[in-house]
Amino acid sequence: MAVTKSKSKRSKKSAKQSQVETPSLSIKEQLAQKRKATKARKELISTLTTVTVVSLFAGLLAFLVVGIKTAVPVVLGIIVMSLSYKYPLMGLIAFLVYVPFGGTITYYIGNSPILQLAKDAFYIPALIAIWQACRRQKLPLIFPPAIRTPFFILLGVCLLTLLFVNGAQQFSPPDLGPFKQAPNEIPLGMGILGLKVLIGYLPLIACVYYLMKDKKDFLFISRLQVVLILVCCALGIVQFLLLRIGICEGTRNATGDALFKATLEARCYFGGALVYSPDEGMIRLPGTFVAPWQWAWFLISSTFLAFATGFSDPSIIWRLISLGSMAGIFINAVISGQRIALALVPVCFVILLVLTGQIGNLKRFIPIGVGLAFLLGIAMASNPAVVQERINSFSSRWEASPPQDFIVQQFEDSLGSSNNILGNGLGRATNSARTLGSTRLIETYYPKLLYEVGIVGTLGFLALVTTITVAAFKTYRSIKNRNFRTYAAALWVFILFISYNTYYYPLDVDPVAVYYWFFAGILFKLPDIDKQERENADSPQKNQKKGLQLKFL
């Protein structure tokens, strides 16, 4: 009874302390906040009205000239770009939300190469707004400062390749001899697109750093990503079930080579091309993405992000939601048919446990570990044939073509394919540039760089990602708060893994091409948020500075 009374006294005391620590606003401050909110609401209404009128007018012109299929994207494009420019933080959040659903949206609207770049309608206007604010306030757009030198070296090498290699291909194409027609290519366009794919999303680091103000923004973004993972994984499971029960036919009734090739004709409601020939032991599902291997790398990268929130979020509810996301990732790694996901998802999870130190945090590790093992056990027990087929497929693939031998072969081929120190041209091995000219399929990342920008450009890129990795490690080690430190540790391991991974080319396409730079920005912001929280705890009645920010925010 005495213990109960002492506990109630302590709870009352802590409640009183929290009331003291939360200073009430004066009447003047309350009126200032109301005026600010009213002004923001009027600006939003005015912006929406203007943008709607302009977009509808442009859409009407497009409808009269071209048709409805062009008019709708024009209207949506103007609205999205205008609002992303006016509200860059919301633009980047919408960009983050769009990335995992881009493949599904693309094929619902219509299969066009232009639609593959639709996500940049969120990113580029927000980037322009932030760049303008940085110029006014004399803040660097390339952040952190440590990466500026390797970035400009890499940019210089890439511009030399663009000018002297892609430019020469554009204005002085090789003589193919008599009776041979020159291919219809745009080498400079390929080079510009290749440069955009290579380092076009690097400014996301600074964008996220400047836009994310405090702990509230950080928790919102981290939790939003967990929800996106959960939704995408649920849709991936639904896609598998629709194929399994026969609502979607897949490729099960195809003949010959079509049984083993991903096609859009076999598409099942979400995502793009897929293969579903269970009688042949061939299943490759795309989830919500354009291609199956993009789905695999979404699952791999999401392992790091769901793990980060699962072990660091202060709310037990969100830790449980993260557990559900991780379970969805593991289940999809099995049913999607992607060997690389089946191999790397559990390996990455174990590496995270070790490198972040969470394997020793029994209080959080045991509930999550036991819960995850329980859910996985149910999934595997209900689909034993699927699990066995994936294991057999993985082992047979490894025996037929070991990854290390495949990577060495690709390096040798790239080294023997060019006598030019600047490479064969930007975009020449970039899949998204194939509509602008002939490209070469190179399925490993650094041999692909070697082929495009030569040995100097490859070393420049290695220097850049090494600098980012080292800066990320130092940043993670500087954080004092345990939860922030755990999240930062998971992001550092993610950056380390992607920086030096050369198997396939995840840094070239969604979602890793976005997540790598976006979450690096979050990692570099965490020390500022950590400092804010400690200062607010020491002196809650003072208005603390919220780190380096742009004034228009």
Side-chain angles (χ1 to χ4, degrees):
M1 191 72 179
V3 174
T4 306
K5 287 182 179 179
S6 63
K7 284 184 178 179
S8 62
K9 287 180 181 179
R10 282 199 300 268
S11 63
K12 289 179 181 179
K13 184 178 180 181
S14 62
K16 289 180 180 178
Q17 287 178 348
S18 63
Q19 290 176 0
V20 172
E21 290 177 356
T22 307
S24 58
L25 297 175
S26 64
I27 296 177
K28 185 177 180 180
E29 290 172 332
Q30 292 177 6
L31 291 174
Q33 283 191 353
K34 287 182 180 179
R35 285 195 298 270
K36 186 177 179 180
T38 302
K39 182 180 177 182
R41 186 165 55 252
K42 288 181 178 179
E43 284 185 0
L44 176 61
I45 294 172
S46 175
T47 302
L48 285 174
T49 303
T50 304
V51 168
T52 302
V53 171
V54 172
S55 62
L56 289 177
F57 178 73
L60 178 61
L61 292 179
F63 171 72
L64 295 175
V65 175
V66 184
I68 189 66
K69 288 186 177 181
T70 303
V72 172
V74 166
V75 172
L76 294 177
I78 292 174
I79 293 174
V80 166
M81 294 176 72
S82 301
L83 294 180
S84 295
Y85 178 79
K86 178 67 176 178
Y87 304 101
L89 177 59
M90 293 298 102
L92 287 187
I93 290 174
F95 174 62
L96 186 66
V97 172
Y98 182 87
V99 165
F101 301 105
T104 301
I105 295 171
T106 294
Y107 290 118
Y108 269 117
I109 295 177
N111 184 12
S112 168
I114 299 297
L115 292 174
Q116 305 290 345
L117 304 175
K119 64 181 183 297
D120 293 328
F122 299 99
Y123 167 61
I124 292 177
L127 175 62
I128 293 172
I130 295 165
W131 172 68
Q132 291 174 339
C134 286
R135 285 192 63 188
R136 288 194 300 268
Q137 300 171 44
K138 297 181 179 180
L139 296 174
L141 186 61
I142 306 303
F143 188 88
I147 73 170
R148 297 189 70 187
T149 299
F151 168 75
F152 286 118
I153 291 173
L154 174 62
L155 180 61
V157 174
C158 290
L159 290 177
L160 289 174
T161 300
L162 181 65
L163 180 63
F164 293 106
V165 181
N166 293 86
Q169 295 169 359
Q170 180 76 55
F171 300 109
S172 299
D175 186 8
L176 300 178
F179 310 112
K180 290 185 179 180
Q181 186 177 1
N184 187 18
E185 294 185 335
I186 311 175
L188 277 177
M190 294 181 71
I192 293 169
L193 183 56
L195 182 62
K196 179 256 182 188
V197 168
L198 183 62
I199 53 176
Y201 292 119
L202 184 144
L204 272 174
I205 298 176
C207 292
V208 175
Y209 180 87
Y210 292 136
L211 292 173
M212 196 168 68
K213 299 183 289 297
D214 49 28
K215 180 181 177 181
K216 182 179 178 181
D217 286 348
F218 163 69
L219 290 177
F220 174 78
I221 293 174
S222 63
R223 292 168 177 176
L224 173 64
Q225 185 60 33
V226 166
V227 172
L228 292 174
I229 295 169
L230 189 61
V231 171
C232 289
C233 287
L235 292 177
I237 295 171
V238 170
Q239 185 180 70
F240 173 76
L241 294 176
L242 291 174
L243 287 160
R244 187 171 183 177
I245 63 180
I247 293 178
C248 294
E249 183 177 318
T251 55
R252 55 160 60 93
N253 294 323
T255 57
D257 292 343
L259 285 167
F260 306 94
K261 291 182 179 179
T263 61
L264 276 175
E265 288 73 18
R267 180 176 175 269
C268 182
Y269 291 102
F270 317 115
L274 63 81
V275 182
Y276 187 78
S277 304
D279 293 339
E280 307 297 328
M282 187 68 180
I283 298 175
R284 301 290 183 270
L285 304 186
T288 58
F289 285 81
V290 171
W293 77 270
Q294 286 179 278
W295 178 238
W297 280 99
F298 172 79
L299 298 175
I300 294 166
S301 58
S302 294
T303 305
F304 296 88
L305 306 177
F307 181 97
T309 302
F311 281 93
S312 68
D313 198 285
S315 169
I316 188 173
I317 294 175
W318 282 102
R319 292 202 297 272
L320 291 173
I321 294 174
S322 299
L323 168 64
S325 297
M326 282 190 279
I329 291 167
F330 274 79
I331 292 170
N332 277 277
V334 174
I335 66 175
S336 66
Q338 294 298 310
R339 290 180 292 259
I340 193 168
L342 179 63
L344 289 184
V345 165
V347 169
C348 291
F349 184 77
V350 173
I351 290 173
L352 282 165
L353 285 175
V354 175
L355 292 185
T356 62
Q358 289 304 312
I359 197 168
N361 185 6
L362 299 180
K363 185 177 179 181
R364 289 190 179 179
F365 168 66
I366 290 178
I368 291 179
V370 171
L372 190 59
F374 178 72
L375 291 174
L376 285 176
I378 294 175
M380 294 174 71
S382 60
N383 297 278
V386 174
V387 175
Q388 187 60 46
E389 188 276 325
R390 297 300 174 273
I391 295 173
N392 293 340
S393 175
F394 177 79
S395 59
S396 62
R397 173 69 176 182
W398 186 286
E399 292 172 1
S401 179
Q404 66 274 13
D405 295 341
F406 179 65
I407 293 170
V408 170
Q409 180 190 350
Q410 296 259 293
F411 267 111
E412 292 174 349
D413 291 344
S414 294
L415 285 169
S417 298
S418 175
N419 296 321
N420 191 340
I421 194 173
L422 294 175
N424 294 286
L426 280 162
R428 282 296 179 184
T430 301
N431 191 42
S432 58
R434 66 186 182 275
T435 56
L436 301 175
S438 61
T439 58
R440 180 170 179 171
L441 177 62
I442 301 177
E443 297 181 82
T444 49
Y445 189 67
Y446 282 102
K448 176 254 182 189
L449 282 183
L450 198 61
Y451 181 82
E452 284 196 352
V453 293
I455 185 67
V456 178
T458 303
L459 292 175
F461 187 83
L462 267 171
L464 174 65
V465 296
T466 299
T467 306
I468 292 174
T469 303
V470 172
F473 178 75
K474 291 180 179 178
T475 301
Y476 137 64
R477 296 293 294 176
S478 69
I479 297 172
K480 307 299 181 184
N481 182 283
R482 186 180 66 179
N483 289 334
F484 293 156
R485 190 182 178 92
T486 299
Y487 196 95
L491 293 187
W492 172 72
V493 177
F494 173 62
I495 290 170
L496 173 69
F497 173 70
I498 296 298
S499 294
Y500 300 106
N501 168 74
T502 191
Y503 196 67
Y504 287 109
Y505 39 94
L507 264 177
D508 260 16
V509 291
D510 298 339
V512 178
V514 172
Y515 289 170
Y516 180 84
W517 311 105
F518 192 100
F519 287 93
I522 291 180
L523 172 57
F524 291 126
K525 184 67 176 184
L526 283 177
D528 289 348
I529 297 176
D530 180 31
K531 185 178 179 182
Q532 290 173 31
E533 292 300 304
R534 284 186 278 113
E535 289 177 348
N536 289 335
D538 293 338
S539 52
Q541 295 186 3
K542 293 182 179 180
N543 291 324
Q544 302 295 338
K545 293 182 179 179
K546 296 183 177 181
L548 187 59
Q549 295 176 36
L550 301 180
K551 290 181 181 178
F552 72 89
L553 302 175

